[in-house]
Amino acid sequence: TLIKDRHVATTRDYYFALANTVKDHLVSRWIKTQQYYYETDPKRVYYLSLEFYMGRSLTNTMINLGVQGACDEALYQLGLDIEDLEENESDAGLGNGGLGRLAACFLDSMATLAMPAYGYGIRYEYGIFAQKIENCEQVEEPDDWLRYGNPWEKGRPEYTVPVNFYGKVIDENGRRKWVNTQVVLAMPYDNPIPGYNNNVCNTLRLWSAKSPLHFNLRVFNTGDYIQAVLDRNLAENISRVLYPNDNMFEGKELRLKQEYFLCAATLFDVVRRFKHSKFGTKEMARTDFLSMPEKVAIQLNDTHPALAIPELMRILVDDEGLEWDKAWDITVKCCAYTNHTILPEALERWPVSMLESILPRHMEIIYFINHLHMEEVKLKYGAENWEKMKVLSCIEEDGEKRVNMANLAIIGSHAVNGVAAIHSELIKKTLFKNFYELWPHKFQNKTNGITPRRWLLLCNPMLADVISDKIGDDWPVHLDQLTQLKQWADDEKFQREVMKVKQDNKNKLASMLSESTGVDINPNSLFDIQVKRIHEYKRQLLNILHVITLYNRIKQNPKAPVVPRTVMIGGKAAPGYYMAKQIIKLFNMVGEVINNDPVVGDKLKVVFLENYRVTLAEKIMPAADLSEQISTAGTEASGTGNMKFMLNGGLTIGTLDGANVEMAEEMGLDNIFIFGMTVDEVEKLQADGYDALTYYNANPELKQVIDMINSGYFSQGNKDTFKDVTNNLLYHDRFLTLADYDAYIAAQEKVAATYTDTKTWAKMAIHNIASSGKFSSDRTISEYAREIWGVEPTHQKLPDPHALQKEDSPDV
């Protein structure tokens, strides 16, 4: 395949050779799985997401196929190190953070539970930017992840579909018709999603934008053939780059086009497959769309693919000629919406003027959906109840007219879910209160989960072995079996085994980081880690305030005994998010001072984890002692990093927010360091009026920390460097950082005291691992399947395509 011999082959060539070998073992399963779906015609699940944060595929594929050992051995025979080869694979960084990584974990679980499921997304040419730190500041570099080609994908030009933009709508034979459009082609690339040890292989289909072959007519007028060829780039820009915003809406035309591009291409596919999947008959197309909800479930991962609702209506009404009411009934029964955040700045609100220009027919459809919805509201609340109509409309009239995509998604879905128990309650009480009163039956909770294959078996093989020695090796598909480990929580031998694995992982990370950062890291120090996108609500600033507090305590009393710590923060800031970038700069400048202060020595080190991504997370999670989950209560919908740390025996310091609440429930408050205001206390403080200065003036230690930042202590005497940060903390902090400072410091003191008691710490770590069964994405997906999609998950295996068939077996 590679056309190289051993004399000229590079490690990259060997990586590709290995990837292609592993892929050979995959394709027969892939083909067989898809044939099986075609023949049995089950209900299919379509998971639509603008992000799939997949990371690397090689090791995960080998593990799920059960060929890791064989590959390892074969490469050893060739004198090659499998880890060196793995380093040549680029991350598929087609996501920003939690939402995109959740989609990837869900794909793994759907395949492992043998569900007929398809991921649908965009094949961005450039994924999330690579982060470099220069002069303590974040610099973005483009992530050219396809530079060397992607061995896992298979282009499918034969399934290319047209997607329309602009144009106008006319009446033709009593039907509305969208005409004079600009066409962009969507070409699919298929990526295999192998289930764990069950011979199932599902598909992630990513669309790439291509310019249509025929030139637009102006070429014949101007004769500018060259320019016409160059202009093809404009259409193809749609799939060029991932928008790097997390929890922030940016109403750009290109982003709207990406969203519609995904929805239109995907629904074309969904309808095509629905029509032609009836028990293996190519000739017989299904024409009765009323059975579509029995065959199709569409899950919208946030509102980004919410245009699937008007697009499905357009197809059913305009193309297939269904009457509106029947089409609407089908659409609502097929679609379901997952909400991922209650931060108002994250909610998508597209200007009507933009939609009217780019998608004129969809704007008409949205208006009509809303008109009928308002009629329903009038019936329930009275024709004159303008206030109810205003809050329940998906058209916002104040200021520039906008379409509220969350409201549209709720109106057009039969199920709406939050992603952790507290979050699902909050959206019913606040964000979607009026919709909950109108349609309480639509609202559900589906607490997020993570795949234990990648997040334990793959990233922490030593811990996986220790666990399997105790409880067998069925736990990767039945994670609740980890509760059996509780019986050994007090067993000193088991405690030592677990802590030895943790120490080995810490040694490994420490040497990797010392090499890349030049900071000498004490592997026996407490590894205190906060990795996630940089955002004010996640309160990396609170962590920094604690770091400076520890520094001041060491400086004030250098002889006092302290528990040595290495505090690590990692994560990317959206390129246009000024405050997030300042937070990165502050942490790095604080690090420069602390790491070079001889009085501190190795009692405290501060390390920024550059270019945090899936592959780096796989190295970090197994090595963490302490996991920082310190968002203001009521702001983090769920979090999933928290679950990864827990599964790998890291202890959590956290607020009662997101899934931390359920983690504490599962393991008991004795095994987690909970601190800070509850949601109710946050609401009360905000209602009473939060004044940060009262906290600043009441606590001399806190005041000293903020004064040091202000005085230029960490910025070479420049008082202005961080004035926006301190000004924000003291006068404009929506996230009440200083109000939780005292409680946070006290909790951190408790962490340090507990860490000195190795047995207690080990016991807590074991309880964390043993309580993490609930947080498998297999559990989450089983709940979606049964309660939203109407599909039954199963642990049945498909036959191994490589196993000898009876008729193939040699005569005995």
Side-chain angles (χ1 to χ4, degrees):
T1 316
L2 303 176
I3 321 170
K4 290 259 192 118
D5 67 22
R6 287 207 63 168
H7 303 295
V8 290
T10 61
T11 32
R12 173 163 285 108
D13 293 315
Y14 284 117
Y15 157 69
F16 276 109
L18 175 57
N20 282 304
T21 307
V22 172
K23 195 169 63 172
D24 282 342
H25 286 262
L26 201 58
V27 287
S28 51
R29 291 175 168 92
W30 201 1
I31 292 166
K32 277 272 193 285
T33 302
Q34 301 308 315
Q35 282 173 345
Y36 176 74
Y37 294 155
Y38 183 73
E39 283 153 21
T40 54
D41 189 34
K43 184 169 186 180
R44 290 169 161 89
V45 173
Y46 295 97
Y47 196 86
L48 273 65
S49 180
L50 247 61
E51 303 185 19
F52 286 94
Y53 205 168
M54 302 294 288
R56 291 175 178 166
S57 291
L58 175 61
T59 316
N60 184 247
T61 305
M62 294 193 300
I63 287 173
N64 282 11
L65 258 47
V67 299
Q68 196 185 18
C71 291
D72 236 340
E73 178 60 27
L75 289 164
Y76 176 73
Q77 299 285 332
L78 290 168
L80 295 166
D81 179 1
I82 197 160
E83 282 187 26
D84 293 343
L85 303 195
E86 285 163 358
E87 288 302 313
N88 281 288
E89 182 173 1
S90 303
D91 271 45
L94 307 184
N96 277 287
L99 173 148
R101 183 54 232 175
L102 184 79
C105 284
F106 279 4
L107 292 181
D108 184 82
S109 285
M110 290 187 289
T112 295
L113 293 169
M115 292 169 49
Y118 301 77
Y120 272 93
I122 294 176
R123 181 181 178 267
Y124 301 108
E125 209 170 301
Y126 293 88
I128 186 66
F129 61 86
Q131 179 194 56
K132 287 264 193 302
I133 301 297
E134 289 174 10
N135 302 320
C136 294
E137 297 183 275
Q138 168 176 297
V139 179
E140 300 89 21
E141 290 185 348
D143 165 45
D144 190 8
W145 72 290
L146 293 168
R147 181 169 60 246
Y148 298 105
N150 174 4
W152 304 107
E153 69 183 6
K154 176 76 180 87
R156 302 262 185 216
E158 67 275 22
Y159 290 116
T160 297
V161 305
V163 176
N164 297 288
F165 295 99
Y166 301 108
K168 61 177 185 181
V169 187
I170 58 165
D171 269 314
E172 194 180 80
N173 310 327
R175 272 199 214 173
R176 301 294 279 161
K177 192 174 180 196
W178 187 15
V179 297
N180 298 342
T181 57
Q182 293 180 23
V183 177
V184 177
L185 301 180
M187 173 168 160
Y189 285 78
D190 286 352
N191 300 262
I193 306 292
Y196 179 72
N197 199 16
N198 65 352
N199 300 312
V200 169
C201 187
N202 285 345
T203 302
L204 166 62
R205 177 162 283 184
L206 301 176
W207 298 104
S208 183
K210 293 283 274 180
S211 178
L213 283 173
H214 55 81
F215 291 140
N216 57 45
L217 291 171
R218 65 180 189 83
V219 178
F220 296 109
N221 312 333
T222 61
D224 195 348
Y225 162 76
I226 296 293
Q227 194 53 46
V229 174
L230 298 185
D231 283 348
R232 290 168 61 84
N233 267 329
L234 271 50
E236 295 173 359
N237 277 338
I238 289 177
S239 56
R240 194 81 64 203
V241 59
L242 167 75
Y243 273 84
N245 304 319
D246 191 69
N247 279 301
M248 182 70 194
F249 172 59
E250 188 179 6
K252 293 280 194 284
E253 277 203 19
L254 180 60
R255 172 67 170 198
L256 180 63
K257 286 179 178 171
Q258 289 182 338
E259 293 183 353
Y260 179 64
F261 176 76
L262 169 63
C263 294
T266 301
L267 281 164
F268 186 101
D269 237 17
V270 169
V271 170
R272 174 185 58 75
R273 206 174 277 122
F274 168 73
K275 284 173 153 183
H276 296 292
S277 274
K278 198 176 180 195
F279 283 100
T281 54
K282 276 242 172 7
E283 310 76 50
M284 244 294 293
R286 272 205 193 94
T287 46
D288 179 15
F289 280 89
L290 294 181
S291 65
M292 195 166 165
E294 273 83 76
K295 292 295 177 187
V296 171
I298 296 167
Q299 190 68 34
L300 310 175
N301 194 25
D302 215 307
T303 57
H304 315 145
L307 287 166
I309 291 165
E311 173 64 10
L312 182 53
M313 286 302 289
R314 188 194 65 77
I315 293 170
L316 294 177
V317 174
D318 296 0
D319 297 350
E320 301 293 340
L322 270 74
E323 53 189 77
W324 181 278
D325 290 349
K326 282 185 178 155
W328 183 244
D329 184 55
I330 291 164
T331 297
V332 172
K333 282 177 173 162
C334 286
C335 294
Y337 155 58
T338 301
N339 171 273
H340 282 274
T341 180
I342 59 168
L343 295 183
E345 63 266 36
L347 297 178
E348 293 195 294
R349 296 156 61 247
W350 290 105
V352 165
S353 57
M354 196 186 289
L355 279 162
E356 279 173 338
S357 158
I358 295 174
L359 299 170
R361 178 57 180 140
H362 296 76
M363 197 58 244
E364 282 187 359
I365 290 170
I366 290 168
Y367 271 131
F368 197 52
I369 289 171
N370 200 52
H371 165 71
L372 294 176
H373 171 52
M374 288 295 100
E375 294 302 306
E376 187 183 335
V377 171
K378 284 182 200 171
L379 273 177
K380 185 172 167 84
Y381 294 110
E384 301 294 305
N385 197 334
W386 305 114
E387 190 47 42
K388 272 289 180 215
M389 289 165 70
K390 185 183 170 200
V391 293
L392 287 167
S393 173
C394 67
I395 311 290
E396 297 181 352
E397 304 276 0
D398 36 299
E400 188 185 13
K401 268 179 103 168
R402 293 174 175 269
V403 177
N404 181 314
M405 300 305 279
N407 290 9
L408 176 63
I410 297 169
I411 295 164
S413 295
H414 70 279
V416 177
N417 73 280
V419 290
I422 187 176
H423 167 63
S424 297
E425 288 308 307
L426 271 172
I427 63 176
K428 293 192 296 194
K429 284 200 200 97
T430 59
L431 189 62
F432 302 143
K433 177 176 192 285
N434 293 287
F435 281 100
Y436 177 61
E437 286 165 8
L438 178 63
W439 294 315
H441 61 275
K442 283 193 183 189
F443 288 80
Q444 301 191 19
N445 172 244
K446 296 285 168 278
T447 299
N448 282 163
I450 57 173
T451 171
R453 275 74 64 181
R454 185 174 295 266
W455 297 113
L456 180 46
L457 208 52
L458 182 157
C459 72
N460 201 346
M462 292 185 291
L463 181 58
D465 285 343
V466 166
I467 292 168
S468 293
D469 285 345
K470 284 289 187 209
I471 65 170
D473 54 13
D474 218 16
W475 58 264
V477 285
H478 298 286
L479 201 64
D480 47 340
Q481 291 180 6
L482 292 182
T483 53
Q484 296 170 37
L485 294 172
K486 287 185 182 171
Q487 60 187 297
W488 294 289
D490 292 295
D491 180 311
E492 290 191 22
K493 181 170 176 290
F494 187 59
Q495 288 178 356
R496 279 195 303 273
E497 285 176 43
V498 170
M499 294 319 283
K500 181 183 186 312
V501 167
K502 180 63 77 181
Q503 192 58 57
D504 288 346
N505 288 324
K506 286 173 68 175
N507 295 344
K508 218 169 161 181
L509 182 66
S511 67
M512 189 194 92
L513 291 177
S514 298
E515 209 171 299
S516 60
T517 64
V519 180
D520 239 335
I521 293 167
N522 169 9
N524 298 115
S525 62
L526 191 164
F527 281 17
D528 172 345
I529 308 186
Q530 185 177 24
V531 282
K532 50 189 73 240
R533 285 297 291 255
I534 311 294
H535 201 296
E536 288 159 272
Y537 87 84
K538 294 176 186 282
R539 300 202 295 193
Q540 282 92 356
L541 273 174
L542 184 56
N543 192 343
I544 295 171
L545 297 181
H546 173 245
V547 168
I548 300 173
T549 305
L550 287 182
Y551 173 66
N552 289 339
R553 288 179 179 181
I554 293 169
K555 293 287 278 184
Q556 266 144 32
N557 193 350
K559 295 268 187 290
V562 293
V563 177
R565 278 200 197 223
T566 304
V567 180
M568 310 179 209
I569 294 182
K572 292 172 185 177
Y577 189 172
Y578 169 73
M579 189 55 66
K581 290 188 142 180
Q582 286 293 103
I583 291 168
I584 292 176
K585 183 176 183 177
L586 174 60
F587 184 71
N588 280 306
M589 293 190 89
V590 167
E592 301 244 291
V593 171
I594 294 177
N595 296 342
N596 294 300
D597 190 325
V599 175
V600 177
D602 67 357
K603 291 177 186 163
L604 179 61
K605 290 287 186 230
V606 176
V607 179
F608 186 82
L609 301 166
E610 189 175 274
N611 200 28
Y612 180 62
R613 59 200 186 281
V614 174
T615 293
L616 187 53
E618 291 165 5
K619 299 177 168 74
I620 290 164
M621 300 298 170
D625 290 309
L626 188 67
S627 155
E628 299 264 358
Q629 309 296 336
I630 57 178
S631 53
T632 311
T635 62
E636 187 73 89
S638 168
T640 45
N642 46 5
M643 302 168 188
K644 291 161 197 170
F645 285 113
M646 177 185 182
L647 181 61
N648 284 279
L651 305 192
T652 299
I653 183 168
T655 50
L656 283 173
D657 197 19
N660 299 354
V661 177
E662 289 160 85
M663 286 164 50
E665 262 168 39
E666 293 296 302
M667 72 179 82
L669 286 169
D670 294 350
N671 295 302
I672 186 167
F673 301 97
I674 294 290
F675 75 94
M677 295 177 289
T678 62
V679 169
D680 291 339
E681 289 165 339
V682 166
E683 281 170 11
K684 183 175 186 317
L685 180 56
Q686 281 167 335
D688 296 347
Y690 167 66
D691 177 15
L693 287 173
T694 53
Y695 300 92
Y696 167 79
N697 289 315
N699 185 326
E701 224 177 357
L702 171 58
K703 184 173 188 299
Q704 182 192 7
V705 168
I706 288 174
D707 291 349
M708 285 168 76
I709 298 171
N710 260 334
S711 71
Y713 186 96
F714 299 106
S715 44
Q716 289 119 35
N718 187 333
K719 294 187 163 85
D720 289 341
T721 307
F722 296 116
K723 69 171 190 300
D724 293 330
V725 175
T726 51
N727 191 44
N728 195 43
L729 275 176
L730 292 174
Y731 304 105
H732 312 287
D733 182 11
R734 293 163 57 201
F735 302 107
L736 318 178
T737 309
L738 302 195
D740 271 341
Y741 172 84
D742 279 351
Y744 181 55
I745 299 299
Q748 286 285 20
E749 288 168 356
K750 191 176 172 194
V751 167
T754 310
Y755 191 71
T756 59
D757 178 356
T758 316
K759 281 182 193 170
T760 302
W761 190 276
K763 178 181 173 176
M764 289 172 75
I766 292 163
H767 274 288
N768 269 261
I769 299 165
S771 306
S772 54
K774 173 178 180 178
F775 306 105
S776 169
S777 47
D778 297 348
R779 187 268 317 152
T780 311
I781 283 297
S782 298
E783 291 179 8
Y784 276 95
R786 296 190 176 113
E787 296 162 28
I788 297 180
W789 301 332
V791 172
E792 195 48 39
T794 152
H795 287 105
Q796 280 178 305
K797 292 187 183 185
L798 287 184
D800 181 355
H802 296 289
L804 291 177
Q805 303 297 312
K806 283 218 172 68
E807 58 272 21
D808 300 337
S809 56
D811 292 319
V812 177

